[in-house]
Amino acid sequence: MSAPTMQFTPGRRTSAHHPAGLAEAAASGELAPTAGRTTGKRIAASKTGLREHGLDLVDTVVAFHQAEAADQADGQLEVAHPTPAGNLVPDGVVLLADGSSAFVEIDRTMSYARPVAELERYDAYRNAPPSGRGNAARAPRSHWQETYAGPSLDRPFPPLLFVFAPAPRRAAPATREAAFHKRAQHVHSVNYRIIVATTTLA
């Protein structure tokens, strides 16, 4: 499955707020098709925190790049992944330096229960039945295997990173992170099947 990608370049965070900068980026022809992902136009027009959410995601991907953990900071934004219960749409998918991928979810305005529900959706995606018919040379594969496991299925399910960012009228990121850890321990179906990491934006 082909998915849109975007090259993230470290820079001043405030530049993403400038309409002229967004117009120039769109006119450059360097951006991938916008279907199914957050666009500069949507970020600029939003009055509900989408702009800050998008900037938090860029900051996170830039941090991967600066730590030399991501391959040229390539990332995919809001790409739909099918599950039996409907599409899972990660905030981002980071291409790691070793060629594998990692899912990224930014938490700014979610309730304590929302990240846990997201974790359960990732588990549903991981356990979704094969989407192809297969052939004489190989068995049918699920969507995540086709997309992320590599040709010989040597890569495990991508790790999932929750980034807890500051948000108005919400508890501090570290408080929300700790609450998520307590609640995630009760999602028994996920144990030992998905690597989950958390951090605060800072």
Side-chain angles (χ1 to χ4, degrees), residues 129-143:
S131 53
R133 296 182 179 179
N135 54 44
R138 65 171 194 177
R141 298 180 180 183
S142 65
H143 183 272

Side-chain angles (χ1 to χ4, degrees), residues 9-191:
T9 304
R12 290 183 14 143
R13 178 174 173 146
T14 53
S15 64
H17 290 271
H18 200 291
L22 293 171
E24 182 177 348
S28 70
E30 294 297 319
L31 298 181
T34 59
R37 68 171 173 84
T38 301
T39 65
K41 184 177 180 181
R42 284 178 61 196
I43 293 174
S46 173
K47 297 181 180 180
T48 60
L50 181 60
R51 175 187 302 175
E52 288 73 18
H53 183 277
L55 292 172
D56 290 343
L57 179 58
V58 170
D59 282 349
T60 299
V61 177
V62 168
F64 270 98
H65 180 54
Q66 291 175 334
E68 299 183 351
D71 183 9
Q72 300 178 354
D74 283 332
Q76 301 173 3
L77 304 180
E78 295 190 352
V79 178
H81 294 64
T83 79
N87 283 340
L88 166 70
V89 184
D91 288 334
V93 181
V94 175
L95 178 64
L96 302 177
D98 65 359
S100 63
S101 300
F103 297 117
V104 178
E105 290 289 346
I106 304 295
D107 179 281
R108 295 191 75 256
T109 59
M110 293 180 178
S111 68
Y112 288 142
R114 187 76 180 273
V116 174
E118 287 289 327
L119 179 57
E120 291 173 332
R121 286 184 61 78
Y122 277 95
D123 188 47
Y125 173 58
R126 180 195 160 302
N127 290 315
S131 53
R133 296 182 179 179
N135 54 44
R138 65 171 194 177
R141 298 180 180 183
S142 65
H143 183 272
W144 84 261
Q145 290 172 326
E146 288 284 358
T147 309
Y148 299 110
S152 60
L153 299 182
D154 56 342
R155 295 175 187 152
F157 189 82
L160 170 59
L161 173 65
F162 283 97
V163 179
F164 293 86
R169 299 180 298 279
R170 292 290 178 180
T175 301
R176 301 195 329 264
E177 181 184 27
F180 169 75
H181 276 267
K182 289 180 180 178
R183 287 161 174 78
Q185 293 176 9
H186 300 291
V187 185
H188 299 296
S189 65
V190 179
N191 287 347

